[in-house]
Amino acid sequence: EVQVLESGGGLLQPGGSLRLSCTVSGFSFTTNDMSWFRQAPGKGLEWVSSISASGDKTFYADSVKGRFTISRDNSKNTLLLQMNSLRAEDTALYYCTRGTSHPGDWGQGTLVTVSS
Amino acid sequence: DVVMTQSPLSLPVTLGQPASISCRSSQSLVYSDGNTYLSWFQQRPGRSPRRLIYKVSNRDSRVPDRFSGSGSGTDFTLKISRVEAEDVGIYYCMQGIQWPRTFGQGTKLE
């Protein structure tokens, strides 16, 4: 059974930093591209960032470019999202998914709240 | 950016009756490999999104066969042959051909 588990969310002030983690099981992490998506309260889905299976290619939404960094540890089946210079508009439920072109296997999400 | 436009945004339905959601992209979603990267997602109230359909018409495992996807180029449709109570939620289309990935606004089935 495929399992995707995000963690690391929390409440923090504008300008702060946070690192999200996603651990997966039930599929070959090392051969799959991975992505982060987010959903602000009461809003639609938004793509945030993606990374190739080997980690050599990364992609970012303009809204997070220069502030967020996606990475992966294939030895630990873990996807990471380092978020710096957080803003109120980054408040959202962050989802980790397998794939980038038609993402399947979504986790339950981890909530990030940026507020003073 | 590829703009995805869904209609309607709200869809009142009657149990047992069919339902249809349209999704239009501002550019063709046919990739150089010949595939068309258009997916449909369901998000039930309080739940994570769940992929229903990928590459226009491929239904995910454990997705009931009352769901079907069709279309080509820039015009796509998600159909539910007979709506059931568990189908209530928001449906999104997404393009996977170009960065940034983009979603439609969502259609609320109610």
Side-chain angles (χ1 to χ4, degrees):
Chain A
E1 182 190 1
V2 171
Q3 292 195 332
V4 176
L5 183 62
E6 304 94 338
S7 61
L11 170 63
L12 64 165
Q13 294 187 336
S17 297
L18 204 59
R19 190 177 80 162
L20 304 184
S21 296
C22 170
T23 56
V24 309
S25 62
F27 66 89
S28 173
F29 181 75
T30 58
T31 60
N32 278 273
D33 300 341
M34 297 292 293
S35 299
W36 288 98
F37 291 83
R38 68 184 180 184
Q39 187 170 35
K43 302 296 184 183
L45 298 171
E46 180 187 14
W47 170 75
V48 174
S49 182
S50 296
I51 188 168
S52 62
S54 63
D56 62 336
K57 295 177 187 168
T58 58
F59 306 88
Y60 298 94
D62 285 346
S63 57
V64 306
K65 199 174 294 182
R67 301 187 299 121
F68 290 12
T69 302
I70 191 171
S71 62
R72 61 192 298 159
D73 185 340
N74 283 351
S75 68
K76 295 181 180 178
N77 281 11
T78 299
L79 179 71
L80 301 167
L81 186 68
Q82 177 66 42
M83 305 188 297
N84 299 330
S85 303
L86 282 160
R87 307 166 179 166
E89 54 265 35
D90 296 317
T91 294
L93 191 57
Y94 284 74
Y95 295 103
C96 166
T97 73
R98 166 163 63 152
T100 67
S101 296
H102 40 255
D105 301 319
W106 294 58
Q108 293 304 302
T110 186
L111 182 62
V112 173
T113 303
V114 184
S115 174
S116 54
Chain B
D1 297 2
V2 179
V3 177
M4 305 297 289
T5 303
Q6 289 182 230
S7 63
L9 298 185
S10 177
L11 183 57
V13 295
T14 301
L15 297 182
Q17 293 301 303
S20 179
I21 301 171
S22 171
C23 175
R24 186 164 292 178
S25 59
S26 61
Q27 302 174 30
S28 172
L29 301 186
V30 181
Y31 192 54
S32 55
D33 62 4
N35 290 309
T36 302
Y37 290 95
L38 184 284
S39 306
W40 289 97
F41 298 85
Q42 176 196 61
Q43 189 171 31
R44 291 170 171 152
R47 304 289 298 274
S48 298
R50 166 199 185 196
R51 193 181 68 190
L52 298 175
I53 303 283
Y54 62 97
K55 288 193 277 187
V56 181
S57 59
N58 294 273
R59 195 169 46 246
D60 272 272
S61 59
R62 290 176 289 179
V63 173
D65 60 8
R66 63 178 181 274
F67 289 93
S68 64
S70 63
S72 63
T74 61
D75 286 296
F76 307 94
T77 303
L78 176 70
K79 291 183 179 175
I80 309 174
S81 59
R82 295 173 306 280
V83 173
E84 297 192 5
E86 66 178 18
D87 300 336
V88 166
I90 301 177
Y91 292 79
Y92 297 93
C93 60
M94 190 202 99
Q95 65 83 15
I97 189 178
Q98 196 178 101
W99 305 102
R101 304 309 194 215
T102 47
F103 290 88
Q105 315 96 303
T107 295
K108 189 171 186 179
L109 201 72
E110 51 192 358

